[in-house]
Amino acid sequence: MTPETNRDQPFIAVSGLGKDYGQGETLVHALKDVSFTLEKGAFAVILGASGAGKTTLLNLLGGMDRATNGSYLFDGKDVATFKDKELELFRRKDIGFVFQFYNLMENLTAYENVALAASIVDSPLDPAQVLRDVGLEARAKNFPSQLSGGEQQRVSIARAIVKNPKLLLCDEPTGALDSKTGLSILRLLYDLSGKTGTTVVIVTHNQALSKAATRLIRIGDGTILEDLSFPRMDNLDDIEW
């Protein structure tokens, strides 16, 4: 892939973002002066080793933690200045989360897990249609314990998508999956960003995921090491996992 030089007006603008933990001799700078922009509909991969700061950054983007300093503009609003109630509404209405280990409600069926997420937002998508979109229409009445790892991850993705979020955040979404299932999940997320304009951000240590990125941000020791833009691919069939 050859990097692009032109970018659309940013939907997300992070400037001088920092996050510290502890104080005195135990002070840790988890993130230091992080700055980047993302356009709407981007398929962004934040790549880094364990401890690089990528999960800390994901938590800040999703409003699950507060920055120590810097600004985070999301659709023109500075999330870094949000009060607790504003952060709660931001997470509920604007953000979809996909976690590595699914976090499904074990006592609810696949459909009920997705419908529960739909019930907390103002303009959700149809749960049954979203399950069809992720290829799980026939498994809608199954409980998580009756689903494979790949199927559970698809429910997790459906639960995030049904909220109709502006930003979909994924923490190692293929980390617990085999290569075939992992590639199918990658395809699903990639198609989502292309068809709906949802901005997708994936944090991972898996180099294979970076091959599909329209934005690739490498992070290490809490700072950005590399920031590249790429043209969107027609399909992902040529990606080697």
Side-chain angles (χ1 to χ4, degrees):
M1 296 185 290
T2 302
E4 290 180 334
T5 55
N6 295 323
R7 296 178 183 175
D8 297 330
Q9 186 70 22
F11 173 60
I12 289 172
V14 170
S15 180
L17 207 63
K19 179 63 182 179
D20 298 339
Y21 294 102
Q23 56 185 343
E25 294 182 358
T26 63
L27 181 65
V28 174
H29 301 291
L31 286 180
K32 295 167 283 188
D33 196 27
V34 169
S35 300
F36 62 89
T37 62
L38 290 178
E39 70 276 12
K40 190 171 180 61
F43 189 81
V45 175
I46 299 174
L47 190 65
S50 177
K54 57 186 187 298
T55 298
T56 298
L57 178 55
L58 191 79
N59 289 340
L60 295 180
L61 292 177
M64 294 182 286
D65 202 354
R66 292 182 179 277
T68 304
N69 46 61
S71 67
Y72 164 29
L73 295 180
F74 178 92
D75 205 11
K77 300 175 183 177
D78 191 352
V79 177
T81 66
F82 280 6
K83 306 294 186 183
D84 289 346
K85 186 63 176 179
E86 291 174 301
L87 277 178
E88 180 184 341
L89 291 174
F90 172 65
R91 291 191 299 266
R92 178 186 300 175
K93 294 185 175 182
D94 294 326
I95 308 297
F97 296 99
V98 178
F99 302 100
Q100 179 177 355
F101 296 109
Y102 325 134
N103 294 335
L104 300 177
M105 300 288 288
E106 293 294 331
N107 61 331
L108 300 180
T109 65
Y111 176 84
E112 290 167 341
N113 266 280
V114 177
L116 180 63
S119 71
I120 66 172
V121 294
D122 297 330
S123 303
L125 303 178
D126 176 56
Q129 181 59 52
V130 172
L131 280 173
R132 281 194 289 273
D133 291 343
V134 301
L136 288 178
E137 180 179 14
R139 307 289 270 162
K141 295 182 179 180
N142 289 96
F143 292 93
S145 62
Q146 299 170 314
L147 302 174
S148 68
E151 288 170 336
Q152 289 185 61
Q153 187 61 297
R154 285 176 180 269
V155 176
S156 175
I157 292 171
R159 182 182 57 186
I161 292 172
V162 79
K163 293 172 63 180
N164 199 17
K166 295 180 180 178
L167 175 62
L168 185 64
L169 299 173
C170 309
D171 188 2
E172 297 283 7
T174 63
L177 306 176
D178 61 76
S179 59
K180 181 179 179 181
T181 306
L183 184 55
S184 70
I185 294 298
L186 177 62
R187 240 188 227 108
L188 177 64
L189 295 171
Y190 192 77
D191 288 345
L192 173 70
S193 70
K195 292 176 180 177
T196 69
T198 299
T199 302
V200 176
V201 176
I202 297 175
V203 299
T204 184
H205 67 275
N206 188 345
Q207 292 273 356
L209 292 178
S210 69
K211 298 174 183 177
T214 63
R215 280 295 294 286
L216 174 61
I217 299 172
R218 295 182 187 274
I219 189 170
D221 294 326
T223 63
I224 291 180
L225 306 176
E226 189 176 41
D227 183 357
L228 300 172
S229 294
F230 299 100
R232 193 168 186 89
M233 301 173 66
D234 293 331
N235 61 70
L236 306 184
D237 291 342
D238 295 331
I239 288 182
E240 294 182 7
W241 198 260

